[in-house]
Amino acid sequence: MTTPTEEVTETISKSVDFLTKTDWLGEYLIPWGTRIVFALIIFIVGRWIVKAMVKALRRALAKANMDQMLINFLSNIAYMALLVVVVLAVLEQLGVNTTSALAVFGAAGLAIGLALQGSLSNFAAGVMLVFFRPFNTGNFVEVAGVTGIVEEIRIFSTVLRTPDNREIIIPNGQINDDKIVNFSARDTRRIDLVLGIGYGDDIGKARQLIEEIISGDERILADPEPQVMLLELADSSVNIATRPWVRSSDYWAVRADLLEKVKASFDSNGISIPYPQQDVHLVSDKAA
């Protein structure tokens, strides 16, 4: 029976023999170094090939006159799928059993999928947005409470550019679950203005001035015909509804010009634009 001291001595002796008698260069450094070098080459070259294939796919889809939004979405999916193939080839070069690795990845993928249900929901929502296309790249939309121009629909999110040039990334699930307002879906839009005049002003004169401004603007469409009508007798003003139609791209510019021209025309013709007022009556207490 060996003593603890003898066991320690024997272990040290075996370790020394392993370190001194092992051919580290021939058995470990050269084989593993070669594997690692070839694995890096496979990864670098494979990644380059993947990018080239995705670029060729984008060109082919563009020649087929496919929508840019769909091109971007399919290209992202193709890139991720091909990159997985490259990673598996790298693992194979390093001596990893890819069949076992795929089984492990499958089990891990199931666990990750259960933990990341929100991300999978965003992916599914992205697929629905691409194929049902409630909006396209370049459209001016309001989604999930955010207004902006659609820059790109990614696998899990959509990128919007706001009018003040901010970039906002919204999860696709939030977009799909909320209302979508597409301001660019139609070629034309109607401008809805409510213009108030005083009760003592001439309604016919005010309507005439508004109609002259509308007829003098070439950007306002003749069909559908613009409408200028009495809307309501409000508390402080007589409200006139003004509803001209314009091209969607001209909406904001024409709206701003109309407001400015109407204000200037009303001022020069003695028509008032009332605003809410309050009369305060002070009663003195003589007894006090």
Side-chain angles (χ1 to χ4, degrees):
M1 184 175 180
T2 60
T3 63
T5 302
E6 292 175 342
E7 290 180 356
V8 171
T9 304
E10 184 179 356
T11 301
I12 294 174
S13 177
K14 290 180 179 179
S15 299
V16 171
D17 290 340
F18 176 77
L19 293 173
T20 56
K21 296 179 180 180
T22 299
D23 183 8
W24 289 96
L25 184 63
E27 294 184 20
Y28 294 98
L29 294 180
I30 292 178
W32 276 101
T34 304
R35 285 185 178 184
I36 292 173
V37 169
F38 275 105
L40 288 174
I41 293 174
I42 291 173
F43 180 77
I44 294 172
V45 175
R47 192 159 174 255
W48 179 83
I49 294 174
V50 167
K51 289 183 177 180
M53 292 177 65
V54 171
K55 188 178 293 185
L57 174 64
R58 294 178 69 91
R59 286 198 298 266
L61 295 176
K63 288 182 179 179
N65 294 324
M66 191 170 290
D67 184 76
Q68 186 63 39
M69 180 175 65
L70 187 58
I71 292 176
N72 292 337
F73 190 80
L74 293 178
S75 299
N76 288 335
I77 293 179
Y79 178 79
M80 296 300 295
L82 292 173
L83 196 60
V84 169
V85 175
V86 173
V87 171
L88 290 177
V90 170
L91 294 177
E92 183 74 25
Q93 176 61 34
L94 292 175
V96 178
N97 188 340
T98 53
T99 304
S100 302
L102 287 174
V104 172
F105 287 156
L110 178 61
I112 293 173
L114 294 175
L116 300 176
Q117 294 183 19
S119 297
L120 295 179
S121 174
N122 289 329
F123 174 77
V127 173
M128 294 182 66
L129 290 175
V130 168
F131 285 97
F132 288 102
R133 290 197 287 186
F135 50 78
N136 295 316
T137 303
N139 285 168
F140 186 68
V141 299
E142 179 183 345
V143 293
V146 179
T147 302
I149 298 173
V150 179
E151 292 281 303
E152 181 183 3
I153 296 181
R154 298 174 180 171
I155 297 178
F156 298 107
S157 60
T158 296
V159 181
L160 294 187
R161 175 169 53 85
T162 62
D164 58 349
N165 207 32
R166 290 178 298 156
E167 181 178 290
I168 298 182
I169 301 174
I170 307 173
N172 289 330
Q174 292 186 16
I175 297 175
N176 201 49
D177 292 339
D178 202 352
K179 68 176 182 180
I180 299 173
V181 181
N182 190 343
F183 299 103
S184 304
R186 301 288 185 267
D187 294 332
T188 59
R189 286 185 64 185
R190 190 182 73 182
I191 299 176
D192 290 338
L193 295 178
V194 178
L195 304 173
I197 63 174
Y199 270 91
D201 295 321
D202 188 342
I203 298 176
K205 180 64 174 178
R207 183 189 290 113
Q208 179 186 351
L209 293 173
I210 296 172
E211 290 174 347
E212 289 176 355
I213 293 172
I214 290 176
S215 62
D217 195 325
E218 297 179 353
R219 297 169 296 179
I220 295 177
L221 305 176
D223 185 23
E225 184 180 358
Q227 295 178 334
V228 180
M229 64 183 71
L230 182 63
L231 180 64
E232 63 177 341
L233 302 176
D235 293 337
S236 304
S237 63
V238 177
N239 292 336
I240 300 175
T242 303
R243 296 170 179 171
W245 286 82
V246 296
R247 290 188 298 270
S248 296
S249 57
D250 293 333
Y251 178 87
W252 291 107
V254 175
R255 187 180 186 278
D257 288 346
L258 280 180
L259 289 173
E260 182 178 350
K261 291 177 181 178
V262 167
K263 175 64 168 64
S265 181
F266 280 6
D267 289 346
S268 60
N269 287 274
I271 295 178
S272 62
I273 299 179
Y275 51 88
Q277 302 182 41
Q278 288 184 341
D279 292 333
V280 179
H281 301 276
L282 300 177
V283 179
S284 61
D285 191 349
K286 295 182 179 181

